[in-house]
Amino acid sequence: MEEKTYAMPRIGDKAPEFKAVTTQGDINFPGDYKGSWVILFSHPADFTPVCTSEFMTFASMEKKFNEANCKLVGLSVDGLYSHIAWLRTIKEKIEYKGMKNVEVTFPLIEDITMEVAKTYGMLQPGESSTKAVRAVFFIDPKGIIRTIIYYPLSLGRNFDELYRVLIGLQTADAFGVALPADWRPGDDVIVPTAGSCGVAKSRMEGKEDMKCYDWFFCTKKLDKEKVLGTILKK
Ligand code: BEZ
């Protein structure tokens, strides 16, 4: 029989659909999450140290992600009972960097067949053919993949960066702007590039309420309160 091939999902694609068993019951993805942002992320294996540190961090920040209309969904190729045992161990026994008694209440998908991991390009054989890499998919309320980040087995993710990406995507959408390197709420944002010679000229003559480094690179102020007030109240 011919082996099934899998195309890597890309930014701008519709998130591939699947049904799965999770630690919080069955889910229909991404249909059950319509209207919310979702971060779908994979980890290599239960009962491993880097993954444990990541799950504790993500669970501790879950409320913050939820307040930005974002739900978390984890996945590994381990089975449901392994997931349950691992999450119980985390809650009952692990104290790490001031976090203890951490309950993971977001769903953790069991993917023993590796079907979801293969569909989402989470299995990268050069790194491991039996464990998913640390993939992170940001999916918008319409079910479109908006950002994909991959980390290897040996490096834990930066969760402040994941939160920054989520807020950045929502800010770019809400205000019709782009965001410069290392942007954080409160920093200046980039206005769309001038689309005519007239606009380029008026910007360079300082006639618009923005700062121009050159005609194609202009920024404006966007208050942190306005950004967070817009995103966190949605
Ligand atoms: C870890 O999470 O600690 C880990 C998992 C797989 C390979 C290496 C490290």
Side-chain angles (χ1 to χ4, degrees), residues 89-122:
T89 303
I90 288 177
K91 178 163 163 51
E92 287 163 13
K93 300 208 180 114
I94 311 286
E95 186 170 346
Y96 174 71
K97 284 198 168 170
M99 296 178 279
K100 66 174 185 181
N101 201 26
V102 173
E103 187 155 7
V104 175
T105 54
F106 55 81
L108 175 50
I109 294 169
E110 78 156 1
D111 190 28
I112 304 172
T113 61
M114 303 190 187
E115 185 60 27
V116 179
K118 285 179 185 163
T119 302
Y120 272 83
M122 293 163 170

mmCIF file of all heavy atoms in Angstrom, residues 89-122:
data_model
loop_
_atom_site.group_PDB
_atom_site.id
_atom_site.type_symbol
_atom_site.label_atom_id
_atom_site.label_comp_id
_atom_site.label_asym_id
_atom_site.label_seq_id
_atom_site.Cartn_x
_atom_site.Cartn_y
_atom_site.Cartn_z
ATOM 1 N N THR A 89 0.866 13.792 38.494
ATOM 2 C CA THR A 89 2.195 13.911 39.125
ATOM 3 C C THR A 89 2.604 15.373 39.226
ATOM 4 O O THR A 89 3.112 15.825 40.253
ATOM 5 C CB THR A 89 3.242 13.120 38.305
ATOM 6 O OG1 THR A 89 2.814 11.773 38.223
ATOM 7 C CG2 THR A 89 4.625 13.185 38.941
ATOM 8 N N ILE A 90 2.373 16.108 38.134
ATOM 9 C CA ILE A 90 2.727 17.540 38.145
ATOM 10 C C ILE A 90 2.008 18.233 39.304
ATOM 11 O O ILE A 90 2.612 18.972 40.088
ATOM 12 C CB ILE A 90 2.357 18.199 36.785
ATOM 13 C CG1 ILE A 90 3.322 17.735 35.696
ATOM 14 C CG2 ILE A 90 2.336 19.725 36.896
ATOM 15 C CD1 ILE A 90 3.016 18.250 34.293
ATOM 16 N N LYS A 91 0.720 17.968 39.435
ATOM 17 C CA LYS A 91 -0.069 18.660 40.482
ATOM 18 C C LYS A 91 0.373 18.232 41.888
ATOM 19 O O LYS A 91 0.538 19.049 42.785
ATOM 20 C CB LYS A 91 -1.556 18.379 40.274
ATOM 21 C CG LYS A 91 -2.427 19.017 41.353
ATOM 22 C CD LYS A 91 -3.865 19.086 40.923
ATOM 23 C CE LYS A 91 -4.845 19.311 42.060
ATOM 24 N NZ LYS A 91 -4.583 20.388 42.952
ATOM 25 N N GLU A 92 0.595 16.939 42.039
ATOM 26 C CA GLU A 92 0.829 16.423 43.398
ATOM 27 C C GLU A 92 2.267 16.549 43.870
ATOM 28 O O GLU A 92 2.528 16.693 45.055
ATOM 29 C CB GLU A 92 0.404 14.951 43.460
ATOM 30 C CG GLU A 92 -1.114 14.810 43.441
ATOM 31 C CD GLU A 92 -1.590 13.407 43.095
ATOM 32 O OE1 GLU A 92 -0.743 12.476 43.103
ATOM 33 O OE2 GLU A 92 -2.784 13.255 42.788
ATOM 34 N N LYS A 93 3.229 16.481 42.919
ATOM 35 C CA LYS A 93 4.611 16.334 43.382
ATOM 36 C C LYS A 93 5.588 17.423 42.949
ATOM 37 O O LYS A 93 6.632 17.580 43.568
ATOM 38 C CB LYS A 93 5.175 14.997 42.859
ATOM 39 C CG LYS A 93 4.428 13.789 43.326
ATOM 40 C CD LYS A 93 5.367 12.582 43.372
ATOM 41 C CE LYS A 93 4.641 11.345 43.828
ATOM 42 N NZ LYS A 93 4.551 10.330 42.797
ATOM 43 N N ILE A 94 5.313 18.111 41.861
ATOM 44 C CA ILE A 94 6.384 18.955 41.310
ATOM 45 C C ILE A 94 6.262 20.404 41.781
ATOM 46 O O ILE A 94 5.222 21.045 41.621
ATOM 47 C CB ILE A 94 6.383 18.931 39.754
ATOM 48 C CG1 ILE A 94 6.323 17.493 39.212
ATOM 49 C CG2 ILE A 94 7.602 19.682 39.201
ATOM 50 C CD1 ILE A 94 7.579 16.675 39.319
ATOM 51 N N GLU A 95 7.357 20.882 42.317
ATOM 52 C CA GLU A 95 7.465 22.289 42.682
ATOM 53 C C GLU A 95 8.630 22.828 41.869
ATOM 54 O O GLU A 95 9.739 22.296 41.923
ATOM 55 C CB GLU A 95 7.739 22.403 44.186
ATOM 56 C CG GLU A 95 7.722 23.826 44.635
ATOM 57 C CD GLU A 95 7.754 23.957 46.162
ATOM 58 O OE1 GLU A 95 7.517 22.951 46.880
ATOM 59 O OE2 GLU A 95 8.058 25.074 46.609
ATOM 60 N N TYR A 96 8.377 23.867 41.090
ATOM 61 C CA TYR A 96 9.419 24.357 40.181
ATOM 62 C C TYR A 96 9.289 25.866 40.030
ATOM 63 O O TYR A 96 8.205 26.365 39.720
ATOM 64 C CB TYR A 96 9.269 23.655 38.813
ATOM 65 C CG TYR A 96 10.181 24.175 37.742
ATOM 66 C CD1 TYR A 96 11.552 23.928 37.786
ATOM 67 C CD2 TYR A 96 9.678 24.922 36.684
ATOM 68 C CE1 TYR A 96 12.395 24.437 36.808
ATOM 69 C CE2 TYR A 96 10.509 25.427 35.700
ATOM 70 C CZ TYR A 96 11.866 25.179 35.771
ATOM 71 O OH TYR A 96 12.694 25.676 34.815
ATOM 72 N N LYS A 97 10.359 26.573 40.298
ATOM 73 C CA LYS A 97 10.406 28.040 40.152
ATOM 74 C C LYS A 97 9.195 28.735 40.778
ATOM 75 O O LYS A 97 8.533 29.555 40.114
ATOM 76 C CB LYS A 97 10.491 28.410 38.674
ATOM 77 C CG LYS A 97 11.872 28.196 38.080
ATOM 78 C CD LYS A 97 12.008 28.970 36.789
ATOM 79 C CE LYS A 97 13.430 29.014 36.316
ATOM 80 N NZ LYS A 97 13.559 29.551 34.977
ATOM 81 N N GLY A 98 8.876 28.359 41.991
ATOM 82 C CA GLY A 98 7.765 29.006 42.701
ATOM 83 C C GLY A 98 6.389 28.489 42.298
ATOM 84 O O GLY A 98 5.381 28.892 42.873
ATOM 85 N N MET A 99 6.343 27.605 41.293
ATOM 86 C CA MET A 99 5.036 27.055 40.884
ATOM 87 C C MET A 99 4.853 25.718 41.586
ATOM 88 O O MET A 99 5.750 24.863 41.541
ATOM 89 C CB MET A 99 5.000 26.824 39.359
ATOM 90 C CG MET A 99 5.119 28.095 38.541
ATOM 91 S SD MET A 99 5.130 27.766 36.762
ATOM 92 C CE MET A 99 6.827 27.279 36.478
ATOM 93 N N LYS A 100 3.702 25.547 42.245
ATOM 94 C CA LYS A 100 3.409 24.231 42.835
ATOM 95 C C LYS A 100 1.904 24.017 42.860
ATOM 96 O O LYS A 100 1.143 24.969 42.713
ATOM 97 C CB LYS A 100 4.022 24.101 44.217
ATOM 98 C CG LYS A 100 3.486 24.997 45.289
ATOM 99 C CD LYS A 100 4.141 24.595 46.611
ATOM 100 C CE LYS A 100 3.531 25.411 47.728
ATOM 101 N NZ LYS A 100 4.103 25.130 49.017
ATOM 102 N N ASN A 101 1.513 22.762 43.011
ATOM 103 C CA ASN A 101 0.081 22.428 43.010
ATOM 104 C C ASN A 101 -0.585 22.908 41.708
ATOM 105 O O ASN A 101 -1.705 23.404 41.709
ATOM 106 C CB ASN A 101 -0.563 23.113 44.225
ATOM 107 C CG ASN A 101 -1.857 22.447 44.610
ATOM 108 O OD1 ASN A 101 -2.038 21.263 44.339
ATOM 109 N ND2 ASN A 101 -2.749 23.193 45.209
ATOM 110 N N VAL A 102 0.161 22.784 40.613
ATOM 111 C CA VAL A 102 -0.320 23.325 39.325
ATOM 112 C C VAL A 102 -1.252 22.312 38.647
ATOM 113 O O VAL A 102 -0.859 21.177 38.375
ATOM 114 C CB VAL A 102 0.874 23.637 38.386
ATOM 115 C CG1 VAL A 102 0.372 24.041 37.002
ATOM 116 C CG2 VAL A 102 1.738 24.732 38.979
ATOM 117 N N GLU A 103 -2.465 22.772 38.395
ATOM 118 C CA GLU A 103 -3.438 21.900 37.738
ATOM 119 C C GLU A 103 -3.549 22.288 36.268
ATOM 120 O O GLU A 103 -3.802 23.457 35.952
ATOM 121 C CB GLU A 103 -4.794 22.057 38.428
ATOM 122 C CG GLU A 103 -5.796 21.075 37.907
ATOM 123 C CD GLU A 103 -6.896 20.776 38.913
ATOM 124 O OE1 GLU A 103 -6.945 21.439 39.975
ATOM 125 O OE2 GLU A 103 -7.704 19.886 38.614
ATOM 126 N N VAL A 104 -3.323 21.322 35.391
ATOM 127 C CA VAL A 104 -3.441 21.596 33.949
ATOM 128 C C VAL A 104 -4.893 21.337 33.566
ATOM 129 O O VAL A 104 -5.332 20.182 33.541
ATOM 130 C CB VAL A 104 -2.474 20.705 33.142
ATOM 131 C CG1 VAL A 104 -2.686 20.897 31.647
ATOM 132 C CG2 VAL A 104 -1.027 20.999 33.536
ATOM 133 N N THR A 105 -5.622 22.413 33.279
ATOM 134 C CA THR A 105 -7.054 22.239 33.000
ATOM 135 C C THR A 105 -7.375 22.373 31.507
ATOM 136 O O THR A 105 -8.507 22.188 31.104
ATOM 137 C CB THR A 105 -7.894 23.261 33.802
ATOM 138 O OG1 THR A 105 -7.390 24.563 33.512
ATOM 139 C CG2 THR A 105 -7.818 22.993 35.288
ATOM 140 N N PHE A 106 -6.349 22.696 30.698
ATOM 141 C CA PHE A 106 -6.616 22.730 29.252
ATOM 142 C C PHE A 106 -6.446 21.312 28.692
ATOM 143 O O PHE A 106 -5.761 20.482 29.288
ATOM 144 C CB PHE A 106 -5.719 23.759 28.538
ATOM 145 C CG PHE A 106 -4.241 23.592 28.763
ATOM 146 C CD1 PHE A 106 -3.506 22.658 28.052
ATOM 147 C CD2 PHE A 106 -3.579 24.393 29.689
ATOM 148 C CE1 PHE A 106 -2.138 22.517 28.248
ATOM 149 C CE2 PHE A 106 -2.213 24.258 29.900
ATOM 150 C CZ PHE A 106 -1.498 23.312 29.181
ATOM 151 N N PRO A 107 -7.083 21.014 27.557
ATOM 152 C CA PRO A 107 -7.035 19.643 27.032
ATOM 153 C C PRO A 107 -5.656 19.248 26.509
ATOM 154 O O PRO A 107 -4.968 20.064 25.882
ATOM 155 C CB PRO A 107 -8.053 19.642 25.885
ATOM 156 C CG PRO A 107 -8.531 21.025 25.714
ATOM 157 C CD PRO A 107 -7.943 21.902 26.769
ATOM 158 N N LEU A 108 -5.309 18.016 26.788
ATOM 159 C CA LEU A 108 -4.075 17.431 26.252
ATOM 160 C C LEU A 108 -4.494 16.233 25.388
ATOM 161 O O LEU A 108 -5.075 15.262 25.887
ATOM 162 C CB LEU A 108 -3.166 17.021 27.425
ATOM 163 C CG LEU A 108 -1.879 16.284 27.105
ATOM 164 C CD1 LEU A 108 -1.077 16.982 26.022
ATOM 165 C CD2 LEU A 108 -1.029 16.162 28.376
ATOM 166 N N ILE A 109 -4.226 16.349 24.098
ATOM 167 C CA ILE A 109 -4.675 15.347 23.121
ATOM 168 C C ILE A 109 -3.812 14.096 23.184
ATOM 169 O O ILE A 109 -2.581 14.199 23.263
ATOM 170 C CB ILE A 109 -4.583 15.946 21.690
ATOM 171 C CG1 ILE A 109 -5.561 17.096 21.530
ATOM 172 C CG2 ILE A 109 -4.788 14.885 20.611
ATOM 173 C CD1 ILE A 109 -5.343 17.917 20.245
ATOM 174 N N GLU A 110 -4.451 12.926 23.121
ATOM 175 C CA GLU A 110 -3.666 11.696 22.930
ATOM 176 C C GLU A 110 -3.589 11.444 21.425
ATOM 177 O O GLU A 110 -4.572 11.595 20.707
ATOM 178 C CB GLU A 110 -4.284 10.496 23.659
ATOM 179 C CG GLU A 110 -5.463 9.865 22.988
ATOM 180 C CD GLU A 110 -5.691 8.413 23.385
ATOM 181 O OE1 GLU A 110 -4.936 7.866 24.225
ATOM 182 O OE2 GLU A 110 -6.636 7.805 22.860
ATOM 183 N N ASP A 111 -2.393 11.115 20.972
ATOM 184 C CA ASP A 111 -2.214 10.958 19.521
ATOM 185 C C ASP A 111 -1.316 9.759 19.251
ATOM 186 O O ASP A 111 -0.279 9.878 18.600
ATOM 187 C CB ASP A 111 -1.623 12.257 18.947
ATOM 188 C CG ASP A 111 -1.620 12.282 17.425
ATOM 189 O OD1 ASP A 111 -2.487 11.618 16.806
ATOM 190 O OD2 ASP A 111 -0.739 12.944 16.851
ATOM 191 N N ILE A 112 -1.769 8.610 19.759
ATOM 192 C CA ILE A 112 -0.940 7.401 19.635
ATOM 193 C C ILE A 112 -0.699 7.038 18.169
ATOM 194 O O ILE A 112 0.375 6.565 17.810
ATOM 195 C CB ILE A 112 -1.612 6.205 20.346
ATOM 196 C CG1 ILE A 112 -1.896 6.563 21.798
ATOM 197 C CG2 ILE A 112 -0.736 4.968 20.305
ATOM 198 C CD1 ILE A 112 -2.731 5.533 22.510
ATOM 199 N N THR A 113 -1.668 7.272 17.328
ATOM 200 C CA THR A 113 -1.500 6.917 15.904
ATOM 201 C C THR A 113 -0.604 7.928 15.188
ATOM 202 O O THR A 113 -0.215 7.709 14.050
ATOM 203 C CB THR A 113 -2.863 6.928 15.180
ATOM 204 O OG1 THR A 113 -3.395 8.257 15.260
ATOM 205 C CG2 THR A 113 -3.835 5.928 15.781
ATOM 206 N N MET A 114 -0.327 9.058 15.818
ATOM 207 C CA MET A 114 0.485 10.156 15.273
ATOM 208 C C MET A 114 -0.201 10.854 14.100
ATOM 209 O O MET A 114 0.440 11.610 13.365
ATOM 210 C CB MET A 114 1.874 9.684 14.826
ATOM 211 C CG MET A 114 2.677 9.018 15.891
ATOM 212 S SD MET A 114 4.379 8.790 15.308
ATOM 213 C CE MET A 114 5.062 7.817 16.624
ATOM 214 N N GLU A 115 -1.485 10.597 13.919
ATOM 215 C CA GLU A 115 -2.176 11.159 12.757
ATOM 216 C C GLU A 115 -2.228 12.694 12.827
ATOM 217 O O GLU A 115 -1.948 13.384 11.843
ATOM 218 C CB GLU A 115 -3.585 10.545 12.676
ATOM 219 C CG GLU A 115 -4.399 10.931 11.461
ATOM 220 C CD GLU A 115 -3.765 10.539 10.121
ATOM 221 O OE1 GLU A 115 -2.982 9.561 10.076
ATOM 222 O OE2 GLU A 115 -4.041 11.234 9.120
ATOM 223 N N VAL A 116 -2.562 13.213 14.012
ATOM 224 C CA VAL A 116 -2.640 14.682 14.131
ATOM 225 C C VAL A 116 -1.241 15.286 14.002
ATOM 226 O O VAL A 116 -1.020 16.271 13.298
ATOM 227 C CB VAL A 116 -3.299 15.101 15.472
ATOM 228 C CG1 VAL A 116 -3.355 16.628 15.574
ATOM 229 C CG2 VAL A 116 -4.692 14.503 15.606
ATOM 230 N N ALA A 117 -0.275 14.648 14.674
ATOM 231 C CA ALA A 117 1.108 15.164 14.623
ATOM 232 C C ALA A 117 1.619 15.200 13.182
ATOM 233 O O ALA A 117 2.267 16.165 12.761
ATOM 234 C CB ALA A 117 2.011 14.309 15.498
ATOM 235 N N LYS A 118 1.293 14.172 12.408
ATOM 236 C CA LYS A 118 1.751 14.147 11.005
ATOM 237 C C LYS A 118 1.017 15.212 10.190
ATOM 238 O O LYS A 118 1.619 15.925 9.387
ATOM 239 C CB LYS A 118 1.506 12.761 10.397
ATOM 240 C CG LYS A 118 2.493 11.716 10.890
ATOM 241 C CD LYS A 118 2.191 10.371 10.268
ATOM 242 C CE LYS A 118 3.099 9.293 10.855
ATOM 243 N NZ LYS A 118 2.597 7.937 10.591
ATOM 244 N N THR A 119 -0.285 15.331 10.422
ATOM 245 C CA THR A 119 -1.079 16.310 9.671
ATOM 246 C C THR A 119 -0.561 17.729 9.897
ATOM 247 O O THR A 119 -0.563 18.567 8.996
ATOM 248 C CB THR A 119 -2.565 16.226 10.106
ATOM 249 O OG1 THR A 119 -3.001 14.893 9.876
ATOM 250 C CG2 THR A 119 -3.447 17.191 9.351
ATOM 251 N N TYR A 120 -0.135 18.004 11.120
ATOM 252 C CA TYR A 120 0.324 19.358 11.469
ATOM 253 C C TYR A 120 1.841 19.538 11.327
ATOM 254 O O TYR A 120 2.383 20.558 11.726
ATOM 255 C CB TYR A 120 -0.132 19.720 12.891
ATOM 256 C CG TYR A 120 -1.521 20.347 12.905
ATOM 257 C CD1 TYR A 120 -2.655 19.558 12.878
ATOM 258 C CD2 TYR A 120 -1.682 21.724 12.900
ATOM 259 C CE1 TYR A 120 -3.929 20.128 12.872
ATOM 260 C CE2 TYR A 120 -2.934 22.306 12.888
ATOM 261 C CZ TYR A 120 -4.055 21.508 12.870
ATOM 262 O OH TYR A 120 -5.296 22.080 12.845
ATOM 263 N N GLY A 121 2.528 18.540 10.774
ATOM 264 C CA GLY A 121 3.976 18.695 10.578
ATOM 265 C C GLY A 121 4.738 18.772 11.896
ATOM 266 O O GLY A 121 5.792 19.405 11.990
ATOM 267 N N MET A 122 4.196 18.116 12.923
ATOM 268 C CA MET A 122 4.856 18.161 14.241
ATOM 269 C C MET A 122 5.930 17.086 14.376
ATOM 270 O O MET A 122 6.742 17.132 15.304
ATOM 271 C CB MET A 122 3.813 17.967 15.354
ATOM 272 C CG MET A 122 2.821 19.111 15.466
ATOM 273 S SD MET A 122 1.380 18.603 16.433
ATOM 274 C CE MET A 122 0.543 20.172 16.671
#
